[in-house]
Amino acid sequence: MTALLVSLLAVTLAGRLVWIEEYFRRYRSHYGDLKGSLRKTRVQVENPSVDAAKAKEKQALYVQSARRQFEMCLLGGTLGVTAWSALYAAKSSSGFQISGLSLRLLFVGVFALITGPVLAKAEALFFSYMVRESAGYVGFSAVVFSLTSIAWDLTGVRWGVVAAVFAALVAVSDLKQDVKLVDFLKSGIPRMPRAQGCRCNCCPH
C-alpha cells in the first residue's frame, strides 16, 4: 500500500510539474525569452484574441475564481491541520492504529493546500493561477490518499482495497486534467500576440 500511494502522489505531482514546464518551454519558444512569462495574466494566455472590454470582464471573473480558490484551499488546509494535530497528539496512546504513512500523507496535503495559495497571491497572473491550481490538486489528492491509508489501517484488506481503487481513480482523473491543460498550451500560446504590452489595461508593467 505504501508504494502504491506514494507512487500515486508522485504521479499527481509530476503531472502538474509537466504542465508548468510546458508553459515556460512554449512561452520561451514563442517569445524567445522567459522574462515576461511570470507577468502574463490569465486572460492574456487563455483569451488572447478578445477585445479590451471583454478582456477586462474575463479578467474580473478570473480574479473572483482565484479568490474562491484561495478560500477553498485555506479552508481545506485548516481542517486538515486540525485533523493532523489531533491524530498526531493521539499517536502515543494505546490502541492507536493510524500508520505513519497516513499522517505523512495528510501532512503533505495540508502543507500544499496552505502554502500554495499563500505563495501565489497575485490573483491576475497566469503563473500564480498555475501554482494555486497545482497546490489544490496535489493537496486534496494527498488528503484522499491519506484517507485511503487510514481505511487500510483501520479495516484491513477488504475495505482498504476499495479505498485504493478510489485513490487510483482520483489520480487518473488528475492526469486526464493535466493532459487537457497541456494540450491547451500547445494550441493556446501560439495564438498569443508576439507584440509586447498589455492589451486589456489590467496587467502589471
Side-chain angles (χ1 to χ4, degrees):
M1 178 60 72
T2 299
L4 172 64
L5 294 178
V6 171
S7 296
L8 291 178
L9 181 59
V11 168
T12 301
L13 177 59
R16 290 290 150 167
L17 292 177
V18 167
W19 178 40
I20 294 174
E21 187 275 337
E22 186 76 10
Y23 170 64
F24 286 119
R25 185 174 66 83
R26 290 195 173 272
Y27 186 95
R28 182 176 183 179
S29 176
H30 185 65
Y31 283 100
D33 63 60
L34 292 175
K35 293 181 179 179
S37 61
L38 298 177
R39 299 193 300 272
K40 285 293 181 182
T41 64
R42 189 175 172 186
V43 72
Q44 286 179 307
V45 176
E46 297 189 358
N47 312 98
S49 60
V50 298
D51 58 37
K54 190 67 174 178
K56 287 184 178 181
E57 180 182 336
K58 284 279 188 182
Q59 192 62 49
L61 293 175
Y62 290 148
V63 168
Q64 292 176 13
S65 175
R67 291 173 181 172
R68 289 193 299 269
Q69 189 179 49
F70 183 87
E71 293 169 357
M72 181 179 67
C73 285
L74 287 186
L75 176 60
T78 301
L79 294 175
V81 166
T82 302
W84 183 86
S85 299
L87 291 173
Y88 188 82
K91 74 172 186 175
S92 59
S93 61
S94 60
F96 186 76
Q97 296 178 287
I98 307 301
S99 65
L101 173 66
S102 301
L103 291 176
R104 288 191 290 272
L105 287 171
L106 183 57
F107 179 82
V108 169
V110 168
F111 183 82
L113 289 172
I114 292 178
T115 57
V118 169
L119 292 176
K121 291 182 179 179
E123 298 166 338
L125 299 184
F126 185 73
F127 178 68
S128 293
Y129 156 70
M130 298 180 80
V131 173
R132 287 192 304 271
E133 188 79 355
S134 299
Y137 268 83
V138 173
F140 282 117
S141 293
V143 170
V144 170
F145 301 154
S146 174
L147 293 176
T148 300
S149 181
I150 290 173
W152 185 278
D153 297 335
L154 298 180
T155 65
V157 175
R158 183 178 179 182
W159 291 107
V161 169
V162 174
V165 171
F166 178 74
L169 292 175
V170 169
V172 170
S173 176
D174 286 347
L175 284 178
K176 287 182 178 179
Q177 180 66 15
D178 295 336
V179 171
K180 291 180 180 179
L181 292 169
V182 170
D183 285 343
F184 171 80
L185 290 178
K186 290 179 180 179
S187 59
I189 288 185
R191 295 199 305 266
M192 295 170 61
R194 291 182 183 273
Q196 300 296 318
C198 177
R199 303 183 63 216
C200 61
N201 298 320
C202 60
C203 57
H205 296 280

